Amino acid sequence: MSTLYDKIGGEAAVDAAVGLFYDKVLADERIRHFFDGLDMERQHRMQKGFLTFAFGGPNNYSGKSMAAAHRKLVDEKGLDDSHFDAVIEDLGATLVELGVPDELIAEAAGIAESVRDAVLGRG
Ligand code: HEM
């Protein structure tokens, strides 16, 4: 059965989406401050890791848990649901621009939702 990742277009789609998504996140006044001062490599790890995950892609990510990766942001910078909502919105806008059908966008948002509590340190 083909996964959402395959349906969206696999790694090529992730690569196409990374640049667009990055521009939206950094232009988004609700969340851009979380990325201030991060080097490009870390930025890229976040964007690509986020998109691959949201597309249900191959789980090559071997870094920290979602909770550990975002703990400082929650504890020191007040990362909360409103910021999570903003990222999901930017993801949706990115995929609309790439011509991804609505039902696949909804699927990607659903996958991202599945780690909301972990990212926000609620378990
Ligand atoms: C589905 C939700 C999310 C996923 C799958 C995700 C994924 C990731 C991944 C894979 C990393 C890299 C961790 C590492 O290798 O060190 C990361 C780091 C990061 N994430 Fe997320 N993220 C999500 C939500 C968010 C949200 C809502 C924000 C802020 C608005 C955010 C901001 C960041 C930042 C700033 C880093 C870098 C932290 C650092 O390097 O110190 N993430 N995220």
Side-chain angles (χ1 to χ4, degrees), residues 67-79:
H70 300 90
R71 186 164 296 133
K72 264 198 170 171
L73 303 177
V74 172
D75 291 349
E76 294 172 17
K77 295 190 172 179
L79 181 69

Side-chain angles (χ1 to χ4, degrees), residues 42 45-46 49 53 59 61-74 79 115-123:
R42 281 177 106 74
R45 259 211 326 253
M46 159 62 193
F53 178 81
N59 199 357
Y61 176 67
S62 59
K64 305 172 196 160
S65 69
M66 281 299 106
H70 300 90
R71 186 164 296 133
K72 264 198 170 171
L73 303 177
V74 172
L79 181 69
V115 292
R116 179 188 286 261
D117 284 348
V119 167
L120 297 179
R122 297 192 294 241

Side-chain angles (χ1 to χ4, degrees), residues 13 16-17 19-25 89-102 105:
L20 273 177
F21 180 62
Y22 175 84
D23 289 346
K24 292 198 194 307
V25 165
E89 206 182 294
D90 292 341
L91 168 69
T94 299
L95 299 182
V96 166
E97 253 177 73
L98 290 172
V100 173
D102 287 351
I105 297 177

Side-chain angles (χ1 to χ4, degrees), residues 3-122:
T3 63
L4 173 65
Y5 182 76
D6 296 326
K7 283 187 263 180
I8 285 182
E11 192 172 1
V14 172
D15 289 341
V18 165
L20 273 177
F21 180 62
Y22 175 84
D23 289 346
K24 292 198 194 307
V25 165
L26 288 197
D28 188 335
E29 290 183 356
R30 297 169 296 179
I31 50 176
R32 59 190 294 177
H33 57 284
F34 290 105
F35 298 88
D36 276 355
L38 272 193
D39 64 44
M40 287 302 293
E41 199 201 311
R42 281 177 106 74
Q43 294 261 6
H44 190 77
R45 259 211 326 253
M46 159 62 193
Q47 319 293 1
K48 192 151 183 178
F50 173 85
L51 290 168
T52 304
F53 178 81
F55 292 178
N59 199 357
N60 295 327
Y61 176 67
S62 59
K64 305 172 196 160
S65 69
M66 281 299 106
H70 300 90
R71 186 164 296 133
K72 264 198 170 171
L73 303 177
V74 172
D75 291 349
E76 294 172 17
K77 295 190 172 179
L79 181 69
D80 67 19
D81 284 297
S82 70
H83 307 116
F84 198 95
D85 293 343
V87 166
I88 300 269
E89 206 182 294
D90 292 341
L91 168 69
T94 299
L95 299 182
V96 166
E97 253 177 73
L98 290 172
V100 173
D102 287 351
E103 66 270 20
L104 298 187
I105 297 177
E107 217 179 304
I111 296 173
E113 282 295 346
S114 73
V115 292
R116 179 188 286 261
D117 284 348
V119 167
L120 297 179
R122 297 192 294 241

